[in-house]
Amino acid sequence: MADDINKKIINLFSKHSKSIPTEEKIKYYAGFSYVKINKDTNGKKFNPEHLKKYAEKCHYIVRVMREFDGETYLYNYDVPNKDLFKFMKSFDENTLDGTIIEIDKYFPEDLA
């Protein structure tokens, strides 16, 4: 299942062709590529309140590699969605250091 999702994400940015509707074509802003989506997989418009509730429940495991005394360590941070930008900013401000290796999304209630 995860491989299917990865293929869809990769294909999303590799399908830059004339057959894709204008609103779904790859565009660039602030140095990053993106695709704007205006409807869900069922063809319905997004509900902002549902998206906000979804985001509130979401957490991320951020894996950070650090080297110390010739050894390599992997730190796994549990970061709630509301704190993700603050967490990322702490690397820019040198409060935290290391190399971000991976970011995985999960929902704590799904672990029970």
Side-chain angles (χ1 to χ4, degrees):
M1 173 105 177
D3 287 338
D4 291 338
I5 292 170
N6 289 338
K7 288 177 186 174
K8 288 179 184 178
I9 292 170
I10 293 167
N11 287 339
L12 178 73
F13 290 101
S14 65
K15 290 183 177 179
H16 191 59
S17 73
K18 294 179 183 176
S19 64
I20 297 175
T22 303
E23 67 275 359
E24 293 183 16
K25 286 192 177 183
I26 297 173
K27 297 178 184 175
Y28 301 92
Y29 183 75
F32 299 97
S33 56
Y34 73 93
V35 174
K36 181 174 77 175
I37 302 169
N38 62 356
K39 294 181 183 176
D40 67 14
T41 55
N42 297 317
K44 295 181 180 180
K45 292 192 177 211
F46 293 110
N47 180 320
E49 291 306 313
H50 290 160
L51 290 173
K52 288 175 187 175
K53 286 180 183 176
Y54 172 86
E56 287 172 5
K57 296 177 185 177
C58 185
H59 281 233
Y60 296 91
I61 294 295
V62 182
R63 291 181 180 85
V64 177
M65 179 186 73
R66 290 198 183 101
E67 296 183 39
F68 182 73
D69 286 340
E71 296 285 329
T72 301
Y73 298 93
L74 197 59
Y75 293 74
N76 295 302
Y77 291 91
D78 179 5
V79 184
N81 184 66
K82 66 180 178 64
D83 295 330
L84 186 60
F85 288 115
K86 183 172 99 175
F87 181 84
M88 301 301 275
K89 188 176 179 185
S90 67
F91 281 89
D92 191 41
E93 296 173 342
N94 293 321
T95 306
L96 287 172
D97 65 343
T99 303
I100 295 175
I101 301 298
E102 184 176 40
I103 301 175
D104 284 328
K105 175 178 67 175
Y106 81 98
F107 297 91
E109 66 270 7
D110 290 346
L111 299 177

